[in-house]
Amino acid sequence: MRAAVLRQGQMTVRDDVDEPVPGQGEVLVQVEACGICGSDLHFVHHGAAMMEVGARMEGTPDLGRTPPDLSRDVFMGHEFCGRVLDVGPLTDGPAPDTLVTSVPIMVTATGIDDLAYTNLRPCGYSERMLLSAMLTLEVPNGLPATHAALTEPMAVGLHAVNRSGLHAGDGAVVVGCGPVGLAVIAALRLLGVAPIVASDFSPARRNLAVTMGADEVVDPRDESPFAVWSRVGGSRSMATFEAVGVPGMLDEVLRVAPAQSRIVVVGVCMQPDAITPFYGIGKELNVQFVLGYDPTEFAASLHSIAEGDIDVAPLITAQVGIGDVPRAFELLADPEEHCKILVVPSR
Ligand SMILES: [Zn+2]
């Protein structure tokens, strides 16, 4: 079958990938849609460095994951939605033809494998893939697969907001309106946080920020979002979401964020980065780093989209077939053109 894989630092289309066969506890799905994630773009260019940093890190639970070998083909695509084709032997799973999504992991006899960056089995940039039957969630309310595929990135925003400690009536500044910042804005809006001030250099992204629920948007070349905040938010309790993830950004946020506020770091900066601790000390700032989501947040995200509480349609700027994945990865470099590109294998 067909799949787009990472080979020698480039996305490559293969037509000779072995058909996955569901074993016990697994279901085979036809991938209906899979979003291209910014982390995937980053992994293509900086995969080796990302794995090196990960390998140095201590204190994380050992889940028995096998890190990908970059000298072999790496399967990617972790924002997927698929239709069940077959259920493995002795497996209690969703009936064939059910539309499902899942957190991008597989529970196996030896531990947990990820369905994000792996040599072991096809992920979402493939015609078909396996899922753990016990982790599948049925897509409710006739929600189209193209919208259900946004469950994963929207869950990232929900998790960041849950970790922020904000309540309805508090305010927020969101720095950076890429897919992650936009997911944060949607989750803030749903919680009843207001005002939401969002900043981005790109007019297209600022427009999307308004669509997703930002009250004020600003081009940081014209004015600091914190200047806007002090006008519209005043002394209200607030948090800042750093959703850019480039060196220097965290230090700048520390420098200008209101005293006693919380900064949620949701942008992924992979390089070492200097900060000025005294900004944080002098204002007693609280810095919270976040990653991913838990399964209940993933399910809540699917529910919010299916109930119409979050409209993800404006975020989808293109749909491409598997053959166009390499080109789509190049297109996503331009923030003015695209937000979320979906891979739709039937195209
Ligand atoms: Zn992602």
Side-chain angles (χ1 to χ4, degrees), residues 237-253:
S237 167
M238 65 85 74
T240 304
F241 294 82
E242 197 287 89
V244 177
V246 300
M249 189 56 68
L250 178 56
D251 194 53
E252 177 60 11
V253 170

PDB file of all heavy atoms in Angstrom, residues 237-253:
ATOM      1  N   SER A 237      -6.756  38.926  36.760  1.00  0.00           N
ATOM      2  CA  SER A 237      -5.897  37.744  36.817  1.00  0.00           C
ATOM      3  C   SER A 237      -5.731  37.189  35.400  1.00  0.00           C
ATOM      4  O   SER A 237      -6.698  37.135  34.638  1.00  0.00           O
ATOM      5  CB  SER A 237      -6.546  36.713  37.748  1.00  0.00           C
ATOM      6  OG  SER A 237      -5.923  35.479  37.597  1.00  0.00           O
ATOM      7  N   MET A 238      -4.500  36.806  35.038  1.00  0.00           N
ATOM      8  CA  MET A 238      -4.261  36.387  33.653  1.00  0.00           C
ATOM      9  C   MET A 238      -3.120  35.387  33.548  1.00  0.00           C
ATOM     10  O   MET A 238      -2.368  35.188  34.502  1.00  0.00           O
ATOM     11  CB  MET A 238      -3.956  37.617  32.778  1.00  0.00           C
ATOM     12  CG  MET A 238      -2.679  38.374  33.096  1.00  0.00           C
ATOM     13  SD  MET A 238      -1.177  37.714  32.296  1.00  0.00           S
ATOM     14  CE  MET A 238      -1.440  38.250  30.601  1.00  0.00           C
ATOM     15  N   ALA A 239      -3.008  34.776  32.386  1.00  0.00           N
ATOM     16  CA  ALA A 239      -1.854  33.941  32.057  1.00  0.00           C
ATOM     17  C   ALA A 239      -1.421  34.269  30.636  1.00  0.00           C
ATOM     18  O   ALA A 239      -2.229  34.727  29.821  1.00  0.00           O
ATOM     19  CB  ALA A 239      -2.201  32.460  32.162  1.00  0.00           C
ATOM     20  N   THR A 240      -0.125  34.058  30.379  1.00  0.00           N
ATOM     21  CA  THR A 240       0.431  34.247  29.043  1.00  0.00           C
ATOM     22  C   THR A 240       0.772  32.881  28.464  1.00  0.00           C
ATOM     23  O   THR A 240       1.382  32.053  29.151  1.00  0.00           O
ATOM     24  CB  THR A 240       1.716  35.094  29.108  1.00  0.00           C
ATOM     25  OG1 THR A 240       1.421  36.323  29.750  1.00  0.00           O
ATOM     26  CG2 THR A 240       2.264  35.353  27.707  1.00  0.00           C
ATOM     27  N   PHE A 241       0.379  32.654  27.228  1.00  0.00           N
ATOM     28  CA  PHE A 241       0.715  31.401  26.546  1.00  0.00           C
ATOM     29  C   PHE A 241       1.786  31.700  25.503  1.00  0.00           C
ATOM     30  O   PHE A 241       1.532  32.465  24.566  1.00  0.00           O
ATOM     31  CB  PHE A 241      -0.531  30.790  25.900  1.00  0.00           C
ATOM     32  CG  PHE A 241      -1.542  30.343  26.921  1.00  0.00           C
ATOM     33  CD1 PHE A 241      -2.420  31.261  27.481  1.00  0.00           C
ATOM     34  CD2 PHE A 241      -1.582  29.026  27.346  1.00  0.00           C
ATOM     35  CE1 PHE A 241      -3.331  30.869  28.443  1.00  0.00           C
ATOM     36  CE2 PHE A 241      -2.491  28.624  28.312  1.00  0.00           C
ATOM     37  CZ  PHE A 241      -3.364  29.546  28.861  1.00  0.00           C
ATOM     38  N   GLU A 242       2.961  31.142  25.684  1.00  0.00           N
ATOM     39  CA  GLU A 242       4.055  31.328  24.726  1.00  0.00           C
ATOM     40  C   GLU A 242       3.942  30.203  23.713  1.00  0.00           C
ATOM     41  O   GLU A 242       4.285  29.046  24.014  1.00  0.00           O
ATOM     42  CB  GLU A 242       5.397  31.300  25.473  1.00  0.00           C
ATOM     43  CG  GLU A 242       6.543  31.871  24.662  1.00  0.00           C
ATOM     44  CD  GLU A 242       7.004  30.963  23.539  1.00  0.00           C
ATOM     45  OE1 GLU A 242       6.453  31.076  22.424  1.00  0.00           O
ATOM     46  OE2 GLU A 242       7.900  30.153  23.780  1.00  0.00           O
ATOM     47  N   ALA A 243       3.434  30.504  22.519  1.00  0.00           N
ATOM     48  CA  ALA A 243       3.158  29.468  21.518  1.00  0.00           C
ATOM     49  C   ALA A 243       4.003  29.680  20.265  1.00  0.00           C
ATOM     50  O   ALA A 243       3.567  29.391  19.153  1.00  0.00           O
ATOM     51  CB  ALA A 243       1.668  29.447  21.174  1.00  0.00           C
ATOM     52  N   VAL A 244       5.195  30.221  20.442  1.00  0.00           N
ATOM     53  CA  VAL A 244       6.092  30.439  19.309  1.00  0.00           C
ATOM     54  C   VAL A 244       7.231  29.412  19.329  1.00  0.00           C
ATOM     55  O   VAL A 244       7.452  28.683  18.371  1.00  0.00           O
ATOM     56  CB  VAL A 244       6.661  31.875  19.310  1.00  0.00           C
ATOM     57  CG1 VAL A 244       7.641  32.056  18.159  1.00  0.00           C
ATOM     58  CG2 VAL A 244       5.537  32.892  19.201  1.00  0.00           C
ATOM     59  N   GLY A 245       7.957  29.364  20.470  1.00  0.00           N
ATOM     60  CA  GLY A 245       8.996  28.348  20.603  1.00  0.00           C
ATOM     61  C   GLY A 245      10.265  28.632  19.840  1.00  0.00           C
ATOM     62  O   GLY A 245      10.838  27.726  19.235  1.00  0.00           O
ATOM     63  N   VAL A 246      10.681  29.906  19.802  1.00  0.00           N
ATOM     64  CA  VAL A 246      11.999  30.203  19.226  1.00  0.00           C
ATOM     65  C   VAL A 246      12.870  30.821  20.314  1.00  0.00           C
ATOM     66  O   VAL A 246      12.355  31.432  21.260  1.00  0.00           O
ATOM     67  CB  VAL A 246      11.911  31.150  17.997  1.00  0.00           C
ATOM     68  CG1 VAL A 246      11.068  30.535  16.894  1.00  0.00           C
ATOM     69  CG2 VAL A 246      11.388  32.518  18.384  1.00  0.00           C
ATOM     70  N   PRO A 247      14.202  30.675  20.195  1.00  0.00           N
ATOM     71  CA  PRO A 247      15.083  31.219  21.227  1.00  0.00           C
ATOM     72  C   PRO A 247      14.843  32.715  21.439  1.00  0.00           C
ATOM     73  O   PRO A 247      14.625  33.455  20.483  1.00  0.00           O
ATOM     74  CB  PRO A 247      16.491  30.964  20.664  1.00  0.00           C
ATOM     75  CG  PRO A 247      16.325  29.793  19.754  1.00  0.00           C
ATOM     76  CD  PRO A 247      14.948  29.952  19.145  1.00  0.00           C
ATOM     77  N   GLY A 248      14.861  33.130  22.692  1.00  0.00           N
ATOM     78  CA  GLY A 248      14.675  34.531  23.040  1.00  0.00           C
ATOM     79  C   GLY A 248      13.237  34.876  23.402  1.00  0.00           C
ATOM     80  O   GLY A 248      12.984  35.865  24.085  1.00  0.00           O
ATOM     81  N   MET A 249      12.292  34.059  22.947  1.00  0.00           N
ATOM     82  CA  MET A 249      10.878  34.391  23.153  1.00  0.00           C
ATOM     83  C   MET A 249      10.485  34.283  24.626  1.00  0.00           C
ATOM     84  O   MET A 249       9.797  35.157  25.166  1.00  0.00           O
ATOM     85  CB  MET A 249      10.009  33.453  22.302  1.00  0.00           C
ATOM     86  CG  MET A 249       8.554  33.818  22.267  1.00  0.00           C
ATOM     87  SD  MET A 249       8.233  35.507  21.716  1.00  0.00           S
ATOM     88  CE  MET A 249       8.743  35.385  20.005  1.00  0.00           C
ATOM     89  N   LEU A 250      10.936  33.234  25.305  1.00  0.00           N
ATOM     90  CA  LEU A 250      10.571  33.067  26.710  1.00  0.00           C
ATOM     91  C   LEU A 250      11.142  34.220  27.548  1.00  0.00           C
ATOM     92  O   LEU A 250      10.458  34.766  28.423  1.00  0.00           O
ATOM     93  CB  LEU A 250      11.070  31.701  27.226  1.00  0.00           C
ATOM     94  CG  LEU A 250      10.787  31.412  28.699  1.00  0.00           C
ATOM     95  CD1 LEU A 250       9.299  31.531  29.023  1.00  0.00           C
ATOM     96  CD2 LEU A 250      11.293  30.011  29.066  1.00  0.00           C
ATOM     97  N   ASP A 251      12.369  34.611  27.243  1.00  0.00           N
ATOM     98  CA  ASP A 251      12.979  35.719  27.996  1.00  0.00           C
ATOM     99  C   ASP A 251      12.194  37.013  27.795  1.00  0.00           C
ATOM    100  O   ASP A 251      11.985  37.780  28.734  1.00  0.00           O
ATOM    101  CB  ASP A 251      14.439  35.911  27.562  1.00  0.00           C
ATOM    102  CG  ASP A 251      15.190  36.800  28.536  1.00  0.00           C
ATOM    103  OD1 ASP A 251      15.163  36.506  29.745  1.00  0.00           O
ATOM    104  OD2 ASP A 251      15.775  37.800  28.094  1.00  0.00           O
ATOM    105  N   GLU A 252      11.756  37.237  26.557  1.00  0.00           N
ATOM    106  CA  GLU A 252      10.989  38.450  26.262  1.00  0.00           C
ATOM    107  C   GLU A 252       9.648  38.436  27.003  1.00  0.00           C
ATOM    108  O   GLU A 252       9.223  39.459  27.557  1.00  0.00           O
ATOM    109  CB  GLU A 252      10.786  38.571  24.742  1.00  0.00           C
ATOM    110  CG  GLU A 252       9.952  39.745  24.290  1.00  0.00           C
ATOM    111  CD  GLU A 252      10.526  41.111  24.693  1.00  0.00           C
ATOM    112  OE1 GLU A 252      11.676  41.183  25.157  1.00  0.00           O
ATOM    113  OE2 GLU A 252       9.775  42.111  24.562  1.00  0.00           O
ATOM    114  N   VAL A 253       9.012  37.265  27.041  1.00  0.00           N
ATOM    115  CA  VAL A 253       7.739  37.160  27.769  1.00  0.00           C
ATOM    116  C   VAL A 253       7.979  37.392  29.268  1.00  0.00           C
ATOM    117  O   VAL A 253       7.215  38.102  29.927  1.00  0.00           O
ATOM    118  CB  VAL A 253       7.064  35.797  27.499  1.00  0.00           C
ATOM    119  CG1 VAL A 253       5.880  35.579  28.444  1.00  0.00           C
ATOM    120  CG2 VAL A 253       6.582  35.710  26.050  1.00  0.00           C
TER     121      VAL A 253
END
